[in-house]
């Protein structure tokens, strides 16, 4: 039985279901990061723990990523990532005479609000090491936003503002275990003086159907910044889920 166009359709279906997990020079993904917040801040010598003293809860938001591979070229592969994250906390501090938070009795509310925007632009050079693709490079990061603590116990409002652009060392490992399944790991880090911004993520990448990818894994970000009267030491970590398209 001769079906017109059958070889073409068979080939097309094979390409749809067996395309490599990193096929296509352009990849776009969007996802949600379900993270927990830990760490502390120091305001004029007063230290507050984000979990114990401020009860900060995460506020998961959308993350976007766009990557472009030059393939057979000396030009670096390019990647851009945009994400927002933060948290909110509300605790009631009970006053007590003789060394409590309040000079007398009574209760006071401490409100915490954190909103940060994180934008990365990366250039990396891929090197084939057998089945593994190792891509060292440089990332230019802009981190902006603020952390606001309204302390009713001390009748103070503290605002720590961030708006910094700095370079990071970047490295990525990408391992194609199967035409439709791969593992990836990414590290970015910088340290200057008493400030540091480090992050890493590990993902499993599944080529579901045609240009559609699903990614799941773990991501952590650490931020340490010190100013004359203020310090911020934050750690965010949790599961990362992304869906994407390749072209």
């Amino acid at each position: 039985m001769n079906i017109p166009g059958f070889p073409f359709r068979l080939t097309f279906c094979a390409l749809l279901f067996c395309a490599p997990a990193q096929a296509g020079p352009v990849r776009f993904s969007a996802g949600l990061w379900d993270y927990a917040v830990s760490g502390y801040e120091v305001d004029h010598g007063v230290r507050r723990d984000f979990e114990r003293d401020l009860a900060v809860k995460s506020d998961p938001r959308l993350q976007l990523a766009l990557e472009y591979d030059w393939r057979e070229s000396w030009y670096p592969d390019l990647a851009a990532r945009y994400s927002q994250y933060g948290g909110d906390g509300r605790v009631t501090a009970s006053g007590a005479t003789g060394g409590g938070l309040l000079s007398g009795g009574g209760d006071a509310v401490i409100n915490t609000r954190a909103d940060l925007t994180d934008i990365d632009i990366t250039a990396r050079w891929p090197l084939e090491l057998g089945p593994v693709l190792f891509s060292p490079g440089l990332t230019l990061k802009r981190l902006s936003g603020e952390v606001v603590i309204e302390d009713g116990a001390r009748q103070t409002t503290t605002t720590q503002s961030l708006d910094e652009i700095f370079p990071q060392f970047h490295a990525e490992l990408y391992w194609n275990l199967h035409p439709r399944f791969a593992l990836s790991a990414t590290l970015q880090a910088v340290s200057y003086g008493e400030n540091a911004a480090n992050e890493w993520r590990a993902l499993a990448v599944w080529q579901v159907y045609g240009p559609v990818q699903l990614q799941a894994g773990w991501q952590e970000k650490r931020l340490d910044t010190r100013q004359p009267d203020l310090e911020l030491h934050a750690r965010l970590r949790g599961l990362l889920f992304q869906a994407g398209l390749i072209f």
Side-chain angles (χ1 to χ4, degrees):
M1 181 177 179
N2 185 19
I3 303 176
F6 178 73
F8 170 77
R9 294 172 187 171
L10 183 61
T11 303
F12 180 70
C13 290
L15 289 174
L16 280 179
F17 286 96
C18 298
Q22 201 183 22
V26 179
R27 298 186 301 282
F28 170 79
S29 62
L32 189 66
W33 184 26
D34 185 18
Y35 57 87
V37 181
S38 62
Y40 63 94
E41 65 93 30
V42 181
D43 176 14
H44 293 83
V46 178
R47 172 171 168 160
R48 300 183 183 93
D49 186 274
F50 290 138
E51 295 176 288
R52 183 179 61 253
D53 301 323
L54 301 176
V56 174
K57 303 298 182 183
S58 64
D59 182 14
R61 303 174 194 176
L62 186 68
Q63 296 194 70
L64 304 174
L66 182 65
E67 299 174 89
Y68 182 82
D69 296 342
W70 281 101
R71 299 296 181 92
E72 302 298 328
S73 171
W74 287 102
Y75 295 115
D77 293 344
L78 302 175
R81 180 173 289 268
Y82 171 87
S83 59
Q84 289 185 325
Y85 44 88
D88 296 284
R90 181 182 177 88
V91 296
T92 300
S94 298
T97 57
L101 282 175
L102 303 176
S103 58
D107 297 334
V109 175
I110 302 177
N111 290 310
T112 305
R113 184 182 73 256
D115 292 287
L116 297 174
T117 299
D118 192 341
I119 301 174
D120 289 348
I121 298 177
T122 299
R124 58 189 180 220
W125 286 262
L127 304 171
E128 291 188 6
L129 303 176
V132 177
L133 195 66
F134 173 59
S135 301
L138 292 174
T139 294
L140 193 65
K141 177 185 285 290
R142 181 184 182 187
L143 187 62
S144 60
E146 62 181 17
V147 179
V148 180
I149 300 177
E150 300 172 350
D151 191 340
R154 296 184 175 86
Q155 298 297 312
T156 60
T157 298
T158 301
T159 301
Q160 297 194 38
S161 298
L162 294 170
D163 192 359
E164 295 190 50
I165 298 176
F166 46 83
Q168 288 181 308
F169 166 77
H170 176 98
E172 182 189 65
L173 288 174
Y174 198 95
W175 185 12
N176 262 316
L177 295 172
H178 183 273
R180 293 172 56 198
F181 184 78
L183 299 175
S184 73
T186 303
L187 171 69
Q188 293 177 191
V190 67
S191 178
Y192 53 102
E194 296 182 279
N195 303 294
N198 306 316
E199 64 184 78
W200 69 272
R201 60 184 167 271
L203 293 171
V205 182
W206 180 32
Q207 191 85 18
V208 182
Y209 179 84
V212 180
Q213 282 187 343
L214 292 181
Q215 304 173 9
W218 187 267
Q219 179 171 260
E220 291 196 18
K221 291 178 181 281
R222 293 189 180 188
L223 174 65
D224 297 283
T225 180
R226 185 188 297 268
Q227 301 175 16
D229 297 318
L230 299 171
E231 292 181 43
L232 179 63
H233 304 273
R235 183 179 182 183
L236 296 83
R237 53 182 176 174
L239 295 173
L240 176 63
F241 301 96
Q242 297 183 148
L245 296 172
I246 57 175
F247 306 94

